[in-house]
Each structure stands twice: as C-alpha cells, then as structure tokens.
Amino acid sequence: MTEPVRTLVVHCPDWPLTALGVAPSDPVVVFTAGRVVAASVAARAVGVVEGQSRRPAQAMCPEAIVLERDEVLEARRFEPVAAALSDITPWVEVQRPGTCAFGVRGPFRLFGSEESLVGSTTATAMEALDDTLGTGAHPGCRIGVADGPFAAGLASRFAAGNALVVPTGGTPAFLAPLPVEALERPDLADVLVRLGLTTLGSLAGLPVTDVAGRFGSEGLVAQRLAAGLDGRQLHVVNQPPDLAVGMDMDPPVDRIEQVAFAARSLAELFQDALAQRGLACTCVAVEAETGHGERLVRRWRDEGPIGAVALVDQVRWQLEGWLHDSPAVRPSSGLVRLDLIPEEVVKAGSRQVGFWGGTTAADERAGRALSKVAVMLGPGSVRVPEWRGGRDTAERFALVPFPKEPVDGLVGGSTGLLSPSTDGPPWPGMLPSPAPAAVHSEPIAVEVVDADGRPVLVDGRGVVSSEPAWVFQGSEAGFGVASWVGPWPTDERWWDPLRHRRRASMQVVSDDGMARLLVQEGGCWKVVATYD
Amino acid sequence: MADPEPFDDLPPEERPTPESTTLSPIRPVPTLAEVTRLVRPTTLAAEQVLPVLPALVDLVPDGLRRGSSLGISGPGARSLTMALMARATSVGSWATVVGDPDLGMVAAAEAGVALERLAVVAPPEPTAWGDVVAALVGSIDLVVVAPHHRVGAATVRRLMARARERGSVLIRIGDGPWPERFDLTLAVVDTSWEGHGDGNGRLQLRRVEVLATGRRASFRESRVVMMLPSPDGSPAPLKQSDSG
C-alpha cells in the first residue's frame, strides 16, 4: 500500500456562481436538473442548501435570481487559473472546474517550505482570478494541504482563512471530528449516522474485519479515507505508452466544434484500446499542439473510469478555454495535433478504489465469508497470495493477511496480481517449471550421506563431493535416494554483505517415487519443497 | 376513527385493482404437467457442476458436482487438487484451502489456478474446525480441507448438508480417516518422474495413475494415466504414444 501523498488542493468556493459573474452578496441560486447546485452567501443565509429542489429554494429566497448551470463556462473561466498554477508545478490536476490539486513534494524543493509554497500558490491563483474575472468579482480561493488528496480537499473546504495546512502526520487527527457526510457517499453516510457513527474518527476506529463484514468493499474504502490512509497517487507515469492515442489534423482546426468532432472519434479509439485490455482510465492527459508549436497539456481525473462522452467534454472544456483566452495567451495558429494519454488506468469493472478489482456477487460473498473466518481465528489467519517475484519458489508469491488493504488496482503496481509466466521479469537461476506443489513454510533440516555414510557437500564450484544415497531427518529413519539432479549453485546479492545468499539446490527422487527439493546453505541441507 | 385502507403500505402499482380481486370464471385450467413445470425450481443446486480442465475429463467426466464431497489421497494429492481447482477458479469460483499452509502458490499458478480467487486459511483448533469450515462452505465454491485431527461424523454430516444446500464442493486432501464415504475418491496409485538421471537433467514431468471410485451405483471405477504435472506445470493427458 502506498503512503498518502502530501497534496495541495486549490479550491475556489462557489465556482458555479463565480464563473457566472455573480458577486457573493447577490442572492443567486444555480440549478441543474431542478436541484440547487450552488447558492450564493446571501441565499445560503436564508436557508437555501445544495441539493434542494427548486420550489422550496424559491420559497425561502423569493428574491433570488435563478440561473442555469453552465459547465462549459465554468471550465473556460477556470482554465487560466490552472494554466497559471502550471508555473508552480507541471503536474496540476483539474479535479473539476473550480478545484485542482498537485503533489507537494516536487514544488516543495523549489520553494523550501510549505508556507512559501502556499503563499506563492495563493498569489498566483489570485492574480489569475483577478485577470479573468476582475478584481473583487470573486471570493478568492482556499488552499488545503494534507496527507492524501481526500484530506487536502477537505482541508481546503474547511479552511477558515485563506489556507489550512494540516501538519505532516496530523491528518487522522484533522479528519477525526469531521462528519461522515464528508465522504460524499450519501447512502453509506445515512446508514453510518443511524448506527451512531457520526464522525470520521468513529468510523476509522472500528475493526477492519467488522467493516468488511458489514459494508463490504465500499466500507473498507471509506474507512481508509476516514483514517487518513488515502493511498491514491496523484499521477502515475509508468503506464504503457501504446495506450495513448493521437491524431494529426490537416488542415489545422481553430474552431471548437471541429476540435470536439475530432475528439469524439479519438475518444472512441482511446476507449476501445483500453477496453481490449480490460482497462479503464481514471486520469487522462489531454495534449494539444498548434501549427506554431505551442502546446497545452492538462490532466483530468475522475473518481471512476472516464467514459468517452466525459472525455470529449473535457477536451472541449480545456481547448475552449485556451482558444478563447486573451490574445496574449491564445494560440497563434490552429491545432494540428491532439493526443489523449492515459495517466492512470485501472481494471475495468472496478472503481479505482476496488477490492481485488473484483465486483461480482461471488467475490463479495467470498470476501464476507473470509472476513468472518478472519474474525473467528484472529488476524493473519486468512491469507491471500500476492505476486512478488523472485527466484525462489517460496519467494515468488507472498501470502498476505486478509482483509487486504483496499488496493488502487493500478496495473503494474505492486499489488496487482500478475500471472507469473507472462508478466514477471526473468529471474536467471530460477528453477524451471514444474514448480513443487508443497513449499514448506518451515524447511526440514536433513542429512545427506553417500553410500559409505559420508556427508555429501557441494563445493564452491558447484560439484558434489560424492553421490547422495540416503537422506536422514534427525534421528528418524530417512529414505533412499533413487535418483538425483543438480546441484545448481546460486549466488544471490553478492554485493550486499547482509543479504548475500549462497546456496546450492538439488532435486532428489526417493525410492518411493516422491521428489523433493533440497537446498544446501552454510553446510546444512534442508528440504524446502516437495513435489507432491 | 376511520378504517385504514388495506393496501396503504403498498406502492400504487402493486395495489390490487378492484377487477383483479374478483374471480374470473373463464380462466383456463392448467394441466398437471404445466403446474409441475411452473413450480419446479429452474435448476437444482445438485444439478450444477463446476467445470474441470480438459485434461481431467476422463477422470471426472461430468465435472465437479456441486454439493458433493471428494477425497484425494496418495503422492501427488496436492497437484491433483490444484488441477481440479484450476478451471473453476478461472471462471469465477472461489477456492479456499483450510489447514495446508504449505500449498505451493507457484505450482498452483502453473496448474492454472486463478490465484486472485484463492485464499489460504491457517489450521484452526480442532474445536473450531467445524465452525470455520461451515462458514466457508456455502460462500466459497471449492473448500479444500486438510484436517490434522479426527473429524467427527456429526460435523461432516452438517457440512455436507450445508454443501448440498448451497452448492459447494468439499475436497479433503490426505490419507487419514474420514467418518463418511466420499461421493468421489481419487487416489494417486502410481507415480514416476521423468527427465532426470543421476546428476543431470531436471525433473520435467510426472506420469501418474489415478484411481477414481464413486459411491453412486452408476459410477464405474476408472483408472486414468496422465501427466501431473507436464513440463509446463499444468496437468495434461498422456498421449497414446507416450504411455508405452
């Protein structure tokens, strides 16, 4: 499990209102599909809340100006802010118009301290907001810094003044008193409140197995978020590059409708390429290049997989902002190339924060039964295999305790199960297939002797001193060696004095037909595996 | 106080309309055969089977019948169990091994077991064994047990009743006593490794002979010779030319 990444979130409060040019003092309510999505400070003061339907909102605040939401405008107005923040770090991710995030680690080195980073970010964002919307026509921005994007987002939301910096390691304490509604999972929050678990701290304090048994995968994810263990990476760059799709446009296009038209076919190609590999994309970089070599890259992230339609919207928002910007920033020529690059992919059919990447009813049922057994027998009694790699049959898979920490499901990540024969790197010196069916968790010490009763040893050149004839286990009766193969010496990590291992392995078939894998290390023989 | 409406608690679409409450005299009377067809469950749990690899079709021609019990014994019992689990786990069934922490995961992967649907449970105390296995039977399709103690007959009957009801397969590895008869017993009776000599070569394949005996009268005892494992680790049928 990855450590929570220290994250900075820039949040512009009431962005749907700000983007429409509403001053905070005007009573304005923004609707979409008959529900309040944003209400100005004046409207909230008389009791209008988000999610309310149109009639009660208008009854509470009859003088309110009612506006429809304009997401294109929101994205276009936010684009200059995101562009300005790219001067601080190139890894700015737009979570949605009005909110963007980036990892603290990189720019931290440049600015030296989090205070100066927060100061510069605020100044940059405010300047961009002033330029776009006019000084005083916006409520500014809030900045939150915490361990993990989830906590940082909440910190920005709850920042009393301009910024809230949660000290390193203080994230669980910051999250503990917040209400469970902050998880933005209304159904789950509803149940939790009825069970008396009103704060994130009370959810975080429950035993993991109980949460898994009662709420399944969603509960585990929520609990990890509540405990401040948000292992989500902000960006992952080691993705297979062949999943990126791009298209050249000749003649260059400069109208947004044309770009959107081109983006639609490109988005379908992109989705097809991912779907063929059973993947879905949760973070995509949209890269556009003009005839004069100007480039604009923007990253978009969604909690779940990004669909083709959403992808077209994002391309449209991003480029609309760019193409309609002030003449100084606007590209001087039409677009000649558009690329869609998946920055983070997950297994399809699972959300980014999945549970073994599985969502079938059988998986959930099995998960519950195994959680129940884990409760009965104590932690660590139920284990599931995890691919690790290695030359040793005992090393290649580790058995890790269940319930496993929910994994990001990142393909190629340390937690993804990969088939050993196809995806693993080569391990020279590894014993070839077939592998032994029983790998002894505690190797059995044995003595190997030749026909005359002398101990058999393997010398530094990997040659046996004499032919093995008998194997004895302590004082007990042993077995006769019918045939044997080897020895194969391995000299592992010779550069590391602490982990250096020098061994010789040998396959021995006993006279009853059972084959065993024997390893000599430091002059002692052990049965490490049986070909049962 | 007014009488409450009788169907107030139902959503409007489920409230009976006044017409439907009166008997319609011209409704056709169904035949007995139709009634039987209507009331029969679509599939009985016992009729369903878990699939097995093509290499094992000779051994278990119909696949692993849900709700049945299997006993696997002899040298190579673990390999045979992995081979039986391979196909079912790769099509979505879960498998759990209780009491055999030494099961080789690399060998399981080579045999074709989908490791993402495999869990290993540490050997429980004899007193808790029945409850632990009962918690798994019913939720996990393939429950493999290797008990280190003598299991009581009542426990096994309870487990098998649950397995029949919920459609799980209980597989027991090992040669020790078992209070009930298995629906199917697979015993590896003869093994020989090939590919090695004194000091050279390597273990490449194992030729095994498996004896299958069933409890049902319709089951014919059969002997199957196969490669378990074949050089790539998976079970494979032995070609006629190889068996000589």
PDB file of all heavy atoms in Angstrom, chain A residues 11-40:
ATOM      1  N   HIS A  11      -9.002  25.329  -4.028  1.00  0.00           N
ATOM      2  CA  HIS A  11     -10.443  25.219  -4.179  1.00  0.00           C
ATOM      3  C   HIS A  11     -11.025  26.628  -4.274  1.00  0.00           C
ATOM      4  O   HIS A  11     -10.775  27.460  -3.407  1.00  0.00           O
ATOM      5  CB  HIS A  11     -11.013  24.472  -2.963  1.00  0.00           C
ATOM      6  CG  HIS A  11     -12.503  24.441  -2.939  1.00  0.00           C
ATOM      7  ND1 HIS A  11     -13.238  23.793  -3.903  1.00  0.00           N
ATOM      8  CD2 HIS A  11     -13.396  24.976  -2.074  1.00  0.00           C
ATOM      9  CE1 HIS A  11     -14.523  23.936  -3.611  1.00  0.00           C
ATOM     10  NE2 HIS A  11     -14.640  24.651  -2.518  1.00  0.00           N
ATOM     11  N   CYS A  12     -11.740  26.897  -5.323  1.00  0.00           N
ATOM     12  CA  CYS A  12     -12.407  28.184  -5.452  1.00  0.00           C
ATOM     13  C   CYS A  12     -13.842  27.987  -5.011  1.00  0.00           C
ATOM     14  O   CYS A  12     -14.612  27.303  -5.693  1.00  0.00           O
ATOM     15  CB  CYS A  12     -12.374  28.682  -6.885  1.00  0.00           C
ATOM     16  SG  CYS A  12     -10.709  28.957  -7.459  1.00  0.00           S
ATOM     17  N   PRO A  13     -14.252  28.534  -3.872  1.00  0.00           N
ATOM     18  CA  PRO A  13     -15.595  28.259  -3.364  1.00  0.00           C
ATOM     19  C   PRO A  13     -16.657  28.825  -4.307  1.00  0.00           C
ATOM     20  O   PRO A  13     -16.445  29.860  -4.944  1.00  0.00           O
ATOM     21  CB  PRO A  13     -15.607  28.938  -1.999  1.00  0.00           C
ATOM     22  CG  PRO A  13     -14.460  29.854  -1.977  1.00  0.00           C
ATOM     23  CD  PRO A  13     -13.479  29.404  -2.990  1.00  0.00           C
ATOM     24  N   ASP A  14     -17.770  28.143  -4.374  1.00  0.00           N
ATOM     25  CA  ASP A  14     -18.918  28.573  -5.176  1.00  0.00           C
ATOM     26  C   ASP A  14     -18.536  28.865  -6.607  1.00  0.00           C
ATOM     27  O   ASP A  14     -18.974  29.851  -7.208  1.00  0.00           O
ATOM     28  CB  ASP A  14     -19.571  29.825  -4.547  1.00  0.00           C
ATOM     29  CG  ASP A  14     -20.081  29.543  -3.155  1.00  0.00           C
ATOM     30  OD1 ASP A  14     -20.482  28.394  -2.922  1.00  0.00           O
ATOM     31  OD2 ASP A  14     -20.050  30.446  -2.314  1.00  0.00           O
ATOM     32  N   TRP A  15     -17.704  28.005  -7.185  1.00  0.00           N
ATOM     33  CA  TRP A  15     -17.238  28.279  -8.542  1.00  0.00           C
ATOM     34  C   TRP A  15     -18.377  28.382  -9.563  1.00  0.00           C
ATOM     35  O   TRP A  15     -18.338  29.240 -10.445  1.00  0.00           O
ATOM     36  CB  TRP A  15     -16.209  27.235  -8.986  1.00  0.00           C
ATOM     37  CG  TRP A  15     -15.600  27.576 -10.291  1.00  0.00           C
ATOM     38  CD1 TRP A  15     -15.835  26.979 -11.483  1.00  0.00           C
ATOM     39  CD2 TRP A  15     -14.673  28.633 -10.562  1.00  0.00           C
ATOM     40  NE1 TRP A  15     -15.116  27.581 -12.480  1.00  0.00           N
ATOM     41  CE2 TRP A  15     -14.393  28.612 -11.940  1.00  0.00           C
ATOM     42  CE3 TRP A  15     -14.085  29.609  -9.768  1.00  0.00           C
ATOM     43  CZ2 TRP A  15     -13.532  29.521 -12.549  1.00  0.00           C
ATOM     44  CZ3 TRP A  15     -13.210  30.515 -10.370  1.00  0.00           C
ATOM     45  CH2 TRP A  15     -12.945  30.469 -11.749  1.00  0.00           C
ATOM     46  N   PRO A  16     -19.448  27.543  -9.470  1.00  0.00           N
ATOM     47  CA  PRO A  16     -20.535  27.712 -10.440  1.00  0.00           C
ATOM     48  C   PRO A  16     -21.098  29.126 -10.437  1.00  0.00           C
ATOM     49  O   PRO A  16     -21.555  29.611 -11.458  1.00  0.00           O
ATOM     50  CB  PRO A  16     -21.576  26.687  -9.976  1.00  0.00           C
ATOM     51  CG  PRO A  16     -20.787  25.650  -9.258  1.00  0.00           C
ATOM     52  CD  PRO A  16     -19.667  26.392  -8.592  1.00  0.00           C
ATOM     53  N   LEU A  17     -21.071  29.792  -9.248  1.00  0.00           N
ATOM     54  CA  LEU A  17     -21.567  31.164  -9.166  1.00  0.00           C
ATOM     55  C   LEU A  17     -20.523  32.131  -9.685  1.00  0.00           C
ATOM     56  O   LEU A  17     -20.820  33.030 -10.477  1.00  0.00           O
ATOM     57  CB  LEU A  17     -21.880  31.510  -7.700  1.00  0.00           C
ATOM     58  CG  LEU A  17     -23.030  30.765  -7.070  1.00  0.00           C
ATOM     59  CD1 LEU A  17     -22.951  30.876  -5.564  1.00  0.00           C
ATOM     60  CD2 LEU A  17     -24.326  31.327  -7.588  1.00  0.00           C
ATOM     61  N   THR A  18     -19.289  31.940  -9.222  1.00  0.00           N
ATOM     62  CA  THR A  18     -18.226  32.866  -9.587  1.00  0.00           C
ATOM     63  C   THR A  18     -18.050  32.903 -11.098  1.00  0.00           C
ATOM     64  O   THR A  18     -17.896  33.967 -11.699  1.00  0.00           O
ATOM     65  CB  THR A  18     -16.919  32.431  -8.919  1.00  0.00           C
ATOM     66  OG1 THR A  18     -17.197  32.104  -7.571  1.00  0.00           O
ATOM     67  CG2 THR A  18     -15.886  33.516  -8.981  1.00  0.00           C
ATOM     68  N   ALA A  19     -18.101  31.709 -11.694  1.00  0.00           N
ATOM     69  CA  ALA A  19     -17.882  31.640 -13.137  1.00  0.00           C
ATOM     70  C   ALA A  19     -18.967  32.403 -13.885  1.00  0.00           C
ATOM     71  O   ALA A  19     -18.725  32.969 -14.942  1.00  0.00           O
ATOM     72  CB  ALA A  19     -17.854  30.179 -13.586  1.00  0.00           C
ATOM     73  N   LEU A  20     -20.174  32.442 -13.316  1.00  0.00           N
ATOM     74  CA  LEU A  20     -21.266  33.159 -13.965  1.00  0.00           C
ATOM     75  C   LEU A  20     -21.193  34.668 -13.689  1.00  0.00           C
ATOM     76  O   LEU A  20     -22.058  35.408 -14.133  1.00  0.00           O
ATOM     77  CB  LEU A  20     -22.610  32.611 -13.489  1.00  0.00           C
ATOM     78  CG  LEU A  20     -22.974  31.214 -13.971  1.00  0.00           C
ATOM     79  CD1 LEU A  20     -24.161  30.665 -13.212  1.00  0.00           C
ATOM     80  CD2 LEU A  20     -23.290  31.244 -15.458  1.00  0.00           C
ATOM     81  N   GLY A  21     -20.201  35.085 -12.935  1.00  0.00           N
ATOM     82  CA  GLY A  21     -20.016  36.504 -12.673  1.00  0.00           C
ATOM     83  C   GLY A  21     -20.925  37.026 -11.576  1.00  0.00           C
ATOM     84  O   GLY A  21     -21.360  38.174 -11.614  1.00  0.00           O
ATOM     85  N   VAL A  22     -21.247  36.214 -10.596  1.00  0.00           N
ATOM     86  CA  VAL A  22     -22.127  36.622  -9.506  1.00  0.00           C
ATOM     87  C   VAL A  22     -21.286  37.108  -8.326  1.00  0.00           C
ATOM     88  O   VAL A  22     -20.350  36.422  -7.918  1.00  0.00           O
ATOM     89  CB  VAL A  22     -23.002  35.434  -9.069  1.00  0.00           C
ATOM     90  CG1 VAL A  22     -23.861  35.811  -7.891  1.00  0.00           C
ATOM     91  CG2 VAL A  22     -23.841  34.946 -10.221  1.00  0.00           C
ATOM     92  N   ALA A  23     -21.612  38.249  -7.783  1.00  0.00           N
ATOM     93  CA  ALA A  23     -20.919  38.725  -6.586  1.00  0.00           C
ATOM     94  C   ALA A  23     -21.483  37.990  -5.378  1.00  0.00           C
ATOM     95  O   ALA A  23     -22.668  37.645  -5.359  1.00  0.00           O
ATOM     96  CB  ALA A  23     -21.123  40.235  -6.428  1.00  0.00           C
ATOM     97  N   PRO A  24     -20.670  37.702  -4.364  1.00  0.00           N
ATOM     98  CA  PRO A  24     -21.142  36.909  -3.217  1.00  0.00           C
ATOM     99  C   PRO A  24     -22.339  37.520  -2.503  1.00  0.00           C
ATOM    100  O   PRO A  24     -23.130  36.804  -1.900  1.00  0.00           O
ATOM    101  CB  PRO A  24     -19.913  36.869  -2.299  1.00  0.00           C
ATOM    102  CG  PRO A  24     -18.759  37.172  -3.182  1.00  0.00           C
ATOM    103  CD  PRO A  24     -19.257  38.036  -4.282  1.00  0.00           C
ATOM    104  N   SER A  25     -22.505  38.837  -2.584  1.00  0.00           N
ATOM    105  CA  SER A  25     -23.594  39.471  -1.820  1.00  0.00           C
ATOM    106  C   SER A  25     -24.944  39.357  -2.514  1.00  0.00           C
ATOM    107  O   SER A  25     -25.978  39.572  -1.894  1.00  0.00           O
ATOM    108  CB  SER A  25     -23.241  40.937  -1.581  1.00  0.00           C
ATOM    109  OG  SER A  25     -22.938  41.546  -2.815  1.00  0.00           O
ATOM    110  N   ASP A  26     -24.966  39.045  -3.817  1.00  0.00           N
ATOM    111  CA  ASP A  26     -26.248  38.926  -4.510  1.00  0.00           C
ATOM    112  C   ASP A  26     -26.905  37.599  -4.161  1.00  0.00           C
ATOM    113  O   ASP A  26     -26.237  36.579  -4.111  1.00  0.00           O
ATOM    114  CB  ASP A  26     -26.050  38.965  -6.036  1.00  0.00           C
ATOM    115  CG  ASP A  26     -25.447  40.269  -6.485  1.00  0.00           C
ATOM    116  OD1 ASP A  26     -25.599  41.255  -5.744  1.00  0.00           O
ATOM    117  OD2 ASP A  26     -24.800  40.292  -7.546  1.00  0.00           O
ATOM    118  N   PRO A  27     -28.214  37.592  -3.946  1.00  0.00           N
ATOM    119  CA  PRO A  27     -28.880  36.302  -3.730  1.00  0.00           C
ATOM    120  C   PRO A  27     -29.086  35.594  -5.070  1.00  0.00           C
ATOM    121  O   PRO A  27     -29.934  36.005  -5.857  1.00  0.00           O
ATOM    122  CB  PRO A  27     -30.211  36.693  -3.079  1.00  0.00           C
ATOM    123  CG  PRO A  27     -30.444  38.100  -3.512  1.00  0.00           C
ATOM    124  CD  PRO A  27     -29.136  38.734  -3.840  1.00  0.00           C
ATOM    125  N   VAL A  28     -28.319  34.597  -5.310  1.00  0.00           N
ATOM    126  CA  VAL A  28     -28.399  33.876  -6.575  1.00  0.00           C
ATOM    127  C   VAL A  28     -28.408  32.379  -6.280  1.00  0.00           C
ATOM    128  O   VAL A  28     -27.697  31.914  -5.387  1.00  0.00           O
ATOM    129  CB  VAL A  28     -27.199  34.216  -7.491  1.00  0.00           C
ATOM    130  CG1 VAL A  28     -27.243  33.385  -8.764  1.00  0.00           C
ATOM    131  CG2 VAL A  28     -27.197  35.687  -7.835  1.00  0.00           C
ATOM    132  N   VAL A  29     -29.225  31.668  -7.007  1.00  0.00           N
ATOM    133  CA  VAL A  29     -29.249  30.208  -6.864  1.00  0.00           C
ATOM    134  C   VAL A  29     -29.011  29.620  -8.248  1.00  0.00           C
ATOM    135  O   VAL A  29     -29.614  30.061  -9.219  1.00  0.00           O
ATOM    136  CB  VAL A  29     -30.604  29.742  -6.297  1.00  0.00           C
ATOM    137  CG1 VAL A  29     -30.591  28.235  -6.130  1.00  0.00           C
ATOM    138  CG2 VAL A  29     -30.886  30.423  -4.976  1.00  0.00           C
ATOM    139  N   VAL A  30     -28.090  28.649  -8.324  1.00  0.00           N
ATOM    140  CA  VAL A  30     -27.818  27.988  -9.600  1.00  0.00           C
ATOM    141  C   VAL A  30     -28.425  26.601  -9.557  1.00  0.00           C
ATOM    142  O   VAL A  30     -28.221  25.848  -8.605  1.00  0.00           O
ATOM    143  CB  VAL A  30     -26.297  27.905  -9.867  1.00  0.00           C
ATOM    144  CG1 VAL A  30     -26.033  27.177 -11.177  1.00  0.00           C
ATOM    145  CG2 VAL A  30     -25.698  29.291  -9.916  1.00  0.00           C
ATOM    146  N   PHE A  31     -29.179  26.279 -10.599  1.00  0.00           N
ATOM    147  CA  PHE A  31     -29.848  24.981 -10.657  1.00  0.00           C
ATOM    148  C   PHE A  31     -29.271  24.146 -11.787  1.00  0.00           C
ATOM    149  O   PHE A  31     -28.815  24.676 -12.800  1.00  0.00           O
ATOM    150  CB  PHE A  31     -31.345  25.175 -10.954  1.00  0.00           C
ATOM    151  CG  PHE A  31     -32.119  25.652  -9.782  1.00  0.00           C
ATOM    152  CD1 PHE A  31     -32.417  26.998  -9.635  1.00  0.00           C
ATOM    153  CD2 PHE A  31     -32.566  24.760  -8.827  1.00  0.00           C
ATOM    154  CE1 PHE A  31     -33.137  27.438  -8.552  1.00  0.00           C
ATOM    155  CE2 PHE A  31     -33.294  25.200  -7.750  1.00  0.00           C
ATOM    156  CZ  PHE A  31     -33.578  26.546  -7.610  1.00  0.00           C
ATOM    157  N   THR A  32     -29.314  22.854 -11.605  1.00  0.00           N
ATOM    158  CA  THR A  32     -29.178  21.971 -12.749  1.00  0.00           C
ATOM    159  C   THR A  32     -30.106  20.805 -12.501  1.00  0.00           C
ATOM    160  O   THR A  32     -30.158  20.269 -11.397  1.00  0.00           O
ATOM    161  CB  THR A  32     -27.714  21.550 -12.985  1.00  0.00           C
ATOM    162  OG1 THR A  32     -27.632  20.854 -14.191  1.00  0.00           O
ATOM    163  CG2 THR A  32     -27.161  20.701 -11.878  1.00  0.00           C
ATOM    164  N   ALA A  33     -30.885  20.462 -13.526  1.00  0.00           N
ATOM    165  CA  ALA A  33     -31.884  19.398 -13.425  1.00  0.00           C
ATOM    166  C   ALA A  33     -32.785  19.574 -12.214  1.00  0.00           C
ATOM    167  O   ALA A  33     -33.105  18.617 -11.511  1.00  0.00           O
ATOM    168  CB  ALA A  33     -31.207  18.025 -13.389  1.00  0.00           C
ATOM    169  N   GLY A  34     -33.188  20.816 -11.952  1.00  0.00           N
ATOM    170  CA  GLY A  34     -34.160  21.078 -10.899  1.00  0.00           C
ATOM    171  C   GLY A  34     -33.630  21.006  -9.485  1.00  0.00           C
ATOM    172  O   GLY A  34     -34.389  21.045  -8.528  1.00  0.00           O
ATOM    173  N   ARG A  35     -32.315  20.885  -9.334  1.00  0.00           N
ATOM    174  CA  ARG A  35     -31.727  20.824  -7.994  1.00  0.00           C
ATOM    175  C   ARG A  35     -30.736  21.967  -7.836  1.00  0.00           C
ATOM    176  O   ARG A  35     -30.043  22.326  -8.796  1.00  0.00           O
ATOM    177  CB  ARG A  35     -30.969  19.505  -7.781  1.00  0.00           C
ATOM    178  CG  ARG A  35     -31.842  18.287  -7.804  1.00  0.00           C
ATOM    179  CD  ARG A  35     -32.383  17.989  -6.432  1.00  0.00           C
ATOM    180  NE  ARG A  35     -33.520  17.070  -6.533  1.00  0.00           N
ATOM    181  CZ  ARG A  35     -34.305  16.777  -5.513  1.00  0.00           C
ATOM    182  NH1 ARG A  35     -34.077  17.295  -4.326  1.00  0.00           N
ATOM    183  NH2 ARG A  35     -35.323  15.964  -5.664  1.00  0.00           N
ATOM    184  N   VAL A  36     -30.635  22.448  -6.588  1.00  0.00           N
ATOM    185  CA  VAL A  36     -29.678  23.516  -6.320  1.00  0.00           C
ATOM    186  C   VAL A  36     -28.271  22.916  -6.375  1.00  0.00           C
ATOM    187  O   VAL A  36     -27.987  21.931  -5.704  1.00  0.00           O
ATOM    188  CB  VAL A  36     -29.932  24.128  -4.926  1.00  0.00           C
ATOM    189  CG1 VAL A  36     -28.896  25.190  -4.612  1.00  0.00           C
ATOM    190  CG2 VAL A  36     -31.326  24.699  -4.853  1.00  0.00           C
ATOM    191  N   VAL A  37     -27.400  23.463  -7.202  1.00  0.00           N
ATOM    192  CA  VAL A  37     -26.007  23.019  -7.175  1.00  0.00           C
ATOM    193  C   VAL A  37     -25.120  24.040  -6.501  1.00  0.00           C
ATOM    194  O   VAL A  37     -24.036  23.706  -6.037  1.00  0.00           O
ATOM    195  CB  VAL A  37     -25.447  22.695  -8.575  1.00  0.00           C
ATOM    196  CG1 VAL A  37     -26.042  21.414  -9.103  1.00  0.00           C
ATOM    197  CG2 VAL A  37     -25.653  23.828  -9.537  1.00  0.00           C
ATOM    198  N   ALA A  38     -25.536  25.288  -6.460  1.00  0.00           N
ATOM    199  CA  ALA A  38     -24.751  26.301  -5.758  1.00  0.00           C
ATOM    200  C   ALA A  38     -25.680  27.433  -5.380  1.00  0.00           C
ATOM    201  O   ALA A  38     -26.617  27.751  -6.111  1.00  0.00           O
ATOM    202  CB  ALA A  38     -23.622  26.819  -6.649  1.00  0.00           C
ATOM    203  N   ALA A  39     -25.414  27.998  -4.224  1.00  0.00           N
ATOM    204  CA  ALA A  39     -26.201  29.138  -3.774  1.00  0.00           C
ATOM    205  C   ALA A  39     -25.245  30.183  -3.227  1.00  0.00           C
ATOM    206  O   ALA A  39     -24.255  29.833  -2.583  1.00  0.00           O
ATOM    207  CB  ALA A  39     -27.199  28.707  -2.704  1.00  0.00           C
ATOM    208  N   SER A  40     -25.498  31.441  -3.484  1.00  0.00           N
ATOM    209  CA  SER A  40     -24.581  32.474  -3.021  1.00  0.00           C
ATOM    210  C   SER A  40     -24.697  32.622  -1.506  1.00  0.00           C
ATOM    211  O   SER A  40     -25.620  32.097  -0.880  1.00  0.00           O
ATOM    212  CB  SER A  40     -24.899  33.788  -3.721  1.00  0.00           C
ATOM    213  OG  SER A  40     -26.171  34.224  -3.311  1.00  0.00           O
TER     214      SER A  40
END
